[in-house]
Amino acid sequence: KAGVTQTPRYLIKTRGQQVTLSCSPISGHRSVSWYQQTPGQGLQFLFEYFSETQRNKGNFPGRFSGRQFSNSRSEMNVSTLELGDSALYLCASSRQTAQETQYFGPGTRLLVL
Amino acid sequence: SQQGEEDPQALSIQEGENATMNCSYKTSINNLQWYRQNSGRGLVHLILIRSNEREKHSGRLRVTLDTSKKSSSLLITASRAADTASYFCATDRGSARQLTFGSGTQLTVLP
């Protein structure tokens, strides 16, 4: 089975711009979660989607949003980028819930200048 | 916020030695998982241990879980240079559909 894929792998944006990141889960996985990783805050949960519905959301401002499509692919969007949004954004998929093994993609490294 | 704290933050050993990393967490959990991350790349799942399990093995990995102490340990036996990576524990609790990660242990295995 193909693993979790994320595109793009690297991205450079400037403050104030917006960005959309994409994640394709493992075939058959319906739950997709997003995490932000920074040196200062570590790995932090952003949100989780299942069957096109957001089931859980972390403590991030409304500039961070996401969605899931009927084929379980997911996108996350960050609007009005700030320097502090520079991070590695990781997507993970699992069959049903986070209470199972989550399989992570390679991540998208976002640099905001 | 991070549920777990890992200890030590950094560990350097010689190839062939065993490496032990510890994870402590704050609230009751359903499961605890261990992940490895190589230099800013994606996380690789290593092992999942359920709250009603005390010990689990996978190849050179041995994980223990002590729910009374809210702690877990990961033992890597006969370490190799390729084991050099950051190791994270992650917990899920209640009905929360999310993982809460520890701060990680940076393991360096010297050839």
Side-chain angles (χ1 to χ4, degrees), chain A residues 35 37 55-56 99-100 102, chain B residues 35 37 92 94 98-99:
Chain A
Y35 295 82
Q37 185 178 28
R55 293 197 298 191
N56 201 11
Q99 296 174 9
E100 309 162 324
Q102 289 199 23
Chain B
Y35 287 86
Q37 184 178 41
D92 68 82
Q98 65 184 77
L99 291 180

Side-chain angles (χ1 to χ4, degrees), chain B residues 11 13-20 60 75-79 107:
Chain B
L11 178 61
I13 59 174
Q14 294 292 136
E15 212 166 21
E17 294 180 338
N18 295 342
T20 300
R60 293 184 297 114
L75 168 68
I76 303 174
T77 59
S79 62
L107 172 66

